[in-house]
Amino acid sequence: MAGRFAPRSARAALPHQAAAPALRTAAPSHDGPAVRAAEPSHGAPAVRAAEPSHDGPPLTRELTPPGPLDLRLVLGPLRRGPADPTFRMVADGTFWRATRTPEGPGTLRVAARGDRIAATAWGPGADWLLAGLPALLGADDDPDAFVPRHRLLALTRHRRPGLRLLRTGLVMESLIPSILEQKVTTDEAYRAWRHLVRRFGTPAPGPTAELGLHVMPDPRGWAMIPSWEWHRANVDAKRSSTILRAVRVARRLEEAATMNLPEALTRLELIPGIGPWTAAETLQRSNGAPDAVTVGDLHLPGIVGHALADHRDADDEEMLTLLTPYEGQRHRATRLILLSGHTPKRRSPRMTPGDITHL
């Protein structure tokens, strides 16, 4: 799953993406007289009501990042495939995110406006989403804590100054798709996520019909999915059982978002079926953990070994040894390696996707 952290080249806008700008024209201008001045990134939120909608009046907020900020790099890890029903990036660089907050479903639209970031939120979770906007965009991250010990990482950091590690504060949002990604191809996992969210989630609040955005089910919704629907989504019993065990204690797992990394890892790994790989993949997003290195990945050890020691056959133990100089920042180091593009050439066929739906 390491490859998702490397940005892909831009693609032509899909039909639903081409329609998105028309939706956005109905939003209030951020330069008009009714808008408050942008507040500093760590200041009190400037939130106001905007145009009404069937989900209640949307709220807006603007902030000024303390330094360079690349929304594609920062928000990219939340995207689970090109047709993720909870995330969209449209042609003009606007990002849409539908999620389930502690206050209820919410939709967040984020876009760069010069040196400012403008956000609009809809739904019961709108206030919660806007309050967490700075953390989502990496305000809690400290990129200066990373000291490159390899020329490749130094050059990549110089070329990608807008990289920040996001923090969503939501554990289940990242845990469930990470479980779906266990020991299968990314395409299989993405298809399963799309099927389950579209079928059992709810339409996202706000003007999202043309985008097809959905909010994932709540814990009870996940628990009520029939066994044959997991099968239809090509999710085997091991992964579905792990998800069902997790949603039964969703409230306790969400507490991990406020824990330090060792305690958070321990909390998640108490659930049978959740190991170091799944826990790290989750906490990288929910906690913005810069040291949550992904152990147990099929490709990452070879990528790190190739980049830092010209050894493409490195295993987890050698990867951790090579990352020792970056203790405390090992996840950031692997992000930079992936963004460098210095990865080994493929020398074997892609893994064949499995299919249990016909069984």
Side-chain angles (χ1 to χ4, degrees):
M1 299 304 165
R4 77 164 67 87
F5 292 115
R8 299 181 180 179
S9 57
R11 300 178 179 178
L14 299 176
H16 67 266
Q17 295 172 331
L23 294 172
R24 289 191 297 276
T25 58
S29 167
H30 295 291
D31 297 317
V35 181
R36 295 182 183 179
E39 91 275 13
S41 59
H42 297 287
V47 178
R48 65 171 177 84
E51 81 280 10
S53 76
H54 62 281
D55 297 297
L59 303 177
T60 64
R61 178 176 185 178
E62 291 187 354
L63 60 83
T64 302
L69 187 70
D70 187 328
L71 289 177
R72 186 181 178 91
L73 293 181
V74 175
L75 299 177
L78 297 178
R79 178 175 178 261
R80 306 285 180 162
D84 185 349
T86 68
F87 187 93
R88 287 286 188 276
M89 185 188 78
V90 295
D92 68 347
T94 301
F95 293 80
W96 292 75
R97 176 182 178 232
T99 189
R100 186 171 295 280
T101 77
E103 305 299 327
T107 301
L108 180 68
R109 181 182 66 195
V110 183
R113 299 285 184 258
D115 62 349
R116 296 180 294 176
I117 301 296
T120 306
W122 293 263
D127 276 318
W128 193 94
L129 286 170
L130 292 182
L133 182 64
L136 180 70
L137 300 182
D140 299 332
D141 184 34
D142 182 13
D144 292 334
F146 179 80
V147 180
R149 307 290 184 181
H150 295 80
R151 184 173 182 271
L152 176 69
L153 271 62
L155 288 174
T156 306
R157 187 176 72 161
H158 177 73
R159 292 168 179 165
R160 305 280 188 171
L163 174 65
R164 296 290 185 276
L165 301 184
L166 61 82
R167 181 180 181 276
T168 66
L170 299 170
V171 172
M172 299 304 294
E173 174 194 65
S174 296
L175 177 61
I176 291 175
S178 294
I179 294 172
L180 292 175
E181 292 169 2
Q182 292 176 349
K183 300 184 182 301
V184 297
T185 65
T186 53
D187 287 344
E188 290 174 84
Y190 293 159
R191 281 198 298 269
W193 175 247
R194 289 197 300 269
H195 174 85
L196 294 168
V197 173
R198 286 173 178 165
R199 180 150 176 76
F200 298 102
T202 56
T208 63
E210 293 293 331
L211 295 172
L213 285 179
H214 283 68
V215 176
M216 77 172 194
D218 61 12
R220 177 174 173 79
W222 286 110
M224 296 297 291
I225 295 177
S227 60
W228 59 86
E229 289 290 352
W230 293 105
H231 189 86
R232 185 176 296 173
N234 200 30
V235 179
D236 56 53
K238 182 176 181 180
R239 288 180 290 154
S240 63
S241 297
T242 300
I243 291 174
L244 293 178
R245 285 191 290 268
V247 298
R248 291 189 189 107
V249 291
R251 182 179 62 82
R252 297 302 304 277
L253 294 181
E254 289 290 358
E255 293 173 359
T258 60
M259 296 177 178
N260 60 38
L261 182 58
E263 292 176 349
L265 289 169
T266 299
R267 176 65 62 90
L268 266 60
E269 291 176 27
L270 287 173
I271 307 301
I274 297 178
W277 185 94
T278 306
E281 288 282 310
T282 301
L283 297 175
Q284 288 165 3
R285 298 164 176 78
S286 64
N287 294 34
D291 199 45
V293 60
T294 304
V295 177
D297 193 85
L298 180 61
H299 305 291
L300 188 60
I303 293 172
V304 173
H306 175 74
L308 302 185
D310 196 24
H311 182 202
R312 62 177 297 161
D313 296 317
D315 56 15
D316 279 332
E317 183 177 356
E318 183 169 352
M319 176 182 71
L320 293 176
T321 299
L322 291 171
L323 292 174
T324 299
Y326 303 107
E327 196 79 35
Q329 294 284 320
R330 293 178 295 179
H331 171 50
R332 191 190 308 277
T334 59
R335 284 288 311 271
L336 290 171
I337 290 171
L338 291 166
L339 291 172
S340 74
H342 191 72
T343 57
K345 294 182 179 180
R346 185 180 299 277
R347 61 183 182 188
S348 61
R350 291 181 180 272
M351 181 177 173
T352 303
D355 188 2
I356 65 172
T357 58
H358 66 283
L359 299 178

